[in-house]
Amino acid sequence: MVGQRFLEALTTTGSGPPGPRITVLAEEPRRAYDRVHLTSWFSGTSAEDLSMCSAEFAAEHGIDIRLGDPVETLDRAARTVTTRAGHTVDYDTLVLATGSYPFVPPVPGHDTPGCFVYRTIEDLEAINAAAETARIGVVVGGGLLGLEAAGALVAMGLDTHVVEFAPRLMALQIDEGGGKVLRRKIQDLGVTVHTDAGTREILDRDGRVAGMVLSDGTELAADLVVFSAGVRPRDELARAAGLEIGERGGIVVDEYCRTGDPHVLAIGECARTVDGRVYGLVAPGYAMAEVAARGILDEVPDPTVCFTGADLSTSLKLLGVDVAGFGDAHGTAEDCVEVLYSDAQAGVYKKLVIGADGSLLGGVLVGDPDAYGVLRPLTGAPLPVPPEQLLMPAAIGAPVKFALPDTAVVCSCHAVTKGSIRAAVCAPDRLDPAAVRRHTKAGTGCGSCVKLVGTIVTEELAAAGIETARGLCEHFDRYTRAELYEIVRVKGITTFARLIDEHGSNRGPDADGCDVCKPTVGSILASLSGGHILDGEQAALQDTNDHFLANIQRNGSYSVVPRVPGGEITPDGLITIGEIARDFGLYTKITGGQRIDMFGATVDQLPLIWQRLVEAGFESGHAYGKALRTVKSCVGQTWCRYGVQDSVALAIELELRYRGLRSPHKLKSAVSGCARECAEAQSKDFGVIATSEGWNLYVGGNGGMTPRHADLLASDLDHDTLIRTIDRFLMFYIRTADRLERTAPWLERIEGGLDHVRAVIMDDSLGICAELDELMGRHVATYADEWAATLADPDRVRRFVSFANAPGTPDPTVRFTAERDQIKPVLLGPLEVRGR
């Protein structure tokens, strides 16, 4: 990551071509990728998603990137390096960005098969493969990366232990009080924590890991061990070449990241800086990359552009627990005082360290990190309000508001100040937070400052007299989706025409809505009033997919996805699908949601295909709608020797109960029959995991571009309580979420987060549970399969034609070719126009 940031700084800071000739020699088999979010790989983020360096970037700047061939020797006299493959490359300036390697305690058995480190994508692939046959996993190391690794093992269904040599978890970032709260919350999630414990030996049986002996003699059974006990600088290349190395490792550099050789620089985790530290966080590495690039490009060093130290603040979610530490979190300064707030029952711990002069020196936040975005930029400055006001929960006192100074560093990863963000606002192409983040890079590192960046942008736009859009769209600019939902529900509105006439912002003949408000209101009407979505006015509100009850594909054909509740299907059902796919020449694929997709149907074929499916007992799988997609399941206790409940029966019940439920975004679910979590329930909008006492309910997990692990809402629920709780959760989400907002961002956005949702749907804190129950009861009672209803009405069927003025004429632009014994779409050429 630091090497890539150096390339970006070197190519964007310079005055233009021809520029320096740049060669990158890399040990790994892939270009730079995001290690900060490495754990998201286990939630479905691909290596491509994590990539930080595109082929286009390298080509644009003429960078020669050579992968999988590390440098093994450095000849400073000749100014050359030689790679493992024997290639010799000369240099004018050499930048060492070799990073670090994981420290593995040299205990007996540390290299036994089943032992891993947690550093690269290849490491994660190996861990994932080993977890397939493992039951118990142990992570050695309770720091940032160790807890990330533990989270990955938990997500894979392993009984997980964390072994930490220090007296508390995250000893470098948080204090004893914060460590106690963090430990308790992590143990509540089923992870066993061992502190003040070292590793004495790794036990093996038949050449595989079988357990671990701790320093106090305790033996832990284990099938898989992950070492995450810190890192060591990769300084062996510099050491062999005679460059100065720190007493505890690390290439010694000055404030301009120069080594003792004026032609060799070092940046990132391999360097020991002028303050005597080796930094293992991305923000200091980025700062060093900027300094090194400027030093190469400037003929005379700029004394204001140097590296003398860095902010070590961190804010992240570990195993679903929010943790933040910044500044002098341990209160080491003379005459400092500590201001504490602790709520053991809620799992919240907050501490601010205040200097003798009243300035904020640092702090710790566990369980409630909301103030981090404001407090970290204030570190080193006098507090504008009494410190206790910054620690009290919003439920106890009114939120404290004050303005950060322009000099405050909002994004420490890219050293972006509030002033820089304000200066970037209001350009024609920068009128929203996302555009400002792209321009300034603020919020594109660890992401902890995204919320604060959004607040600054919104305030700046308002100060400039630029009204920020609050409503759904220009036709409903005063109302959010949630507010429109309440208007429709309370007033009993059943048509878009009435809603826009009574509450729309554009009145008159042109107030006919847009592609934002029409499908949104259509979804609200469908979820509240029922009725077929293709009847009357409703049909005109739908987007392309709902319009034909099928997903349109890239060549203009459609996919057909019948519902397969819980993934359970009879042999006759499989035969029916196979015969239909064969007869219509469709491409077939088994999905990750345990059903079968059929691709390549033309619009006029859809009724014919569905007629056969409906006759065979299938119904719409709603793959085209913002509705429940699937409830995935493992085989549960019926077949699996680990299962403790009947996960298949519950998954089928849930899928049939919530089928057709229209919502702000698609919904996915899963039911796992035991803690091994084969159905991946904790990555779903709502997921259920069996326990020996009942069912655990998890909510707010999503995949996509920003994967999020689900949070535990309630434990050991009986069947009826589980169903009632899911009913209320879904209806509360549908009632309050924004347009196209999945449960994961909704849960993070909604005030009070998970605790508020739990209070609403389990304790009836808002007094609306009866309404939520009634709404879900109405949905269950009035559900009807959309495709069966469509086929029963000739008027609805008539819409399924490629050309309205020439029914029966096939679309000539929908073409296919053959690949792997199935069809493949042929895309349109640049001059072809689709007929519809």
Side-chain angles (χ1 to χ4, degrees), residues 90-443:
D90 62 342
Y91 64 85
D92 296 312
T93 300
L94 175 67
V95 179
L96 297 173
T98 49
S100 61
Y101 64 89
F103 170 69
V104 176
V107 298
H110 68 274
D111 54 355
T112 301
C115 290
F116 303 91
V117 294
Y118 197 88
R119 184 67 173 168
T120 68
I121 291 176
E122 286 68 33
D123 293 334
L124 269 57
E125 290 173 342
I127 292 170
N128 191 54
E132 292 286 337
T133 56
R135 187 174 64 87
I136 303 173
V138 178
V139 177
V140 178
L144 295 173
L145 200 58
L147 294 182
E148 291 241 4
L153 298 188
V154 170
M156 290 186 286
L158 273 65
D159 294 336
T160 304
H161 296 253
V162 173
V163 176
E164 168 56 42
F165 184 77
R168 61 179 179 276
L169 300 173
M170 288 184 64
L172 295 178
Q173 289 81 19
I174 60 177
D175 65 351
E176 183 178 357
K180 288 180 179 178
V181 173
L182 176 61
R183 176 176 184 149
R184 184 164 56 248
K185 296 195 73 157
I186 287 179
Q187 287 183 325
D188 287 344
L189 296 171
V191 177
T192 305
V193 177
H194 310 264
T195 53
D196 276 321
T199 304
R200 180 188 297 176
E201 182 183 359
I202 303 296
L203 304 175
D204 76 82
R205 181 184 302 115
D206 300 326
R208 293 286 303 175
V209 167
M212 173 187 295
V213 180
L214 303 184
S215 54
D216 62 1
T218 301
E219 287 194 16
L220 300 178
D223 308 302
L224 184 155
V225 174
V226 178
F227 289 107
S228 184
V231 296
R232 299 293 185 267
R234 289 285 301 271
D235 56 18
E236 61 270 24
L237 188 64
R239 188 187 300 268
L243 292 170
E244 183 181 359
I245 305 298
E247 184 178 347
R248 299 180 60 190
I251 308 165
V252 175
V253 297
D254 64 11
E255 65 271 30
Y256 298 105
C257 299
R258 299 175 302 198
T259 69
D261 184 329
H263 300 288
V264 181
L265 290 78
I267 57 176
E269 291 176 311
C270 67
R272 184 166 295 277
T273 60
V274 291
D275 60 350
R277 306 183 72 122
V278 172
Y279 289 93
L281 298 175
V282 69
Y286 281 176
M288 296 166 72
E290 298 275 356
V291 169
R294 282 291 300 271
I296 291 173
L297 295 168
D298 295 345
E299 293 185 7
V300 179
D302 183 345
T304 65
V305 182
C306 60
F307 185 90
T308 57
D311 183 7
L312 294 177
S313 302
T314 54
S315 175
L316 63 164
K317 186 184 287 285
L318 298 164
L319 287 159
V321 182
D322 291 295
V323 183
F326 58 96
D328 182 10
H330 300 288
T332 59
E334 188 175 353
D335 296 329
C336 66
V337 296
E338 297 179 350
V339 182
L340 298 173
Y341 172 84
S342 181
D343 183 345
Q345 184 174 3
V348 174
Y349 174 88
K350 305 180 185 180
K351 180 183 82 171
L352 297 183
V353 180
I354 311 299
D357 60 354
S359 62
L360 176 63
L361 301 182
V364 174
L365 305 171
V366 178
D368 180 7
D370 286 351
Y372 173 80
V374 172
L375 290 171
R376 189 196 51 73
L378 286 175
T379 304
L383 287 174
V385 296
E388 59 272 16
Q389 293 186 31
L390 297 170
L391 296 182
M392 300 299 285
I396 297 177
V400 178
K401 293 189 175 181
F402 55 86
L404 285 173
D406 279 353
T407 55
V409 176
V410 173
C411 176
S412 59
C413 290
H414 294 283
V416 183
T417 64
K418 178 186 176 183
S420 299
I421 295 171
R422 292 183 58 209
V425 180
C426 296
D429 61 341
R430 296 197 293 274
L431 297 178
D432 63 83
V436 172
R437 290 199 302 270
R438 287 192 298 269
H439 178 75
T440 63
K441 290 188 177 294

Side-chain angles (χ1 to χ4, degrees), residues 9 38 57-58 69-71 108 113 139 161 174 255 259 346 384 408 432 442 509 541 544 673 702 714 720 737 773:
L38 193 62
F57 171 82
D69 189 16
V71 171
V139 177
H161 296 253
I174 60 177
E255 65 271 30
T259 69
D432 63 83
L541 301 180
T544 303
N702 289 166
D720 292 346
D773 293 342

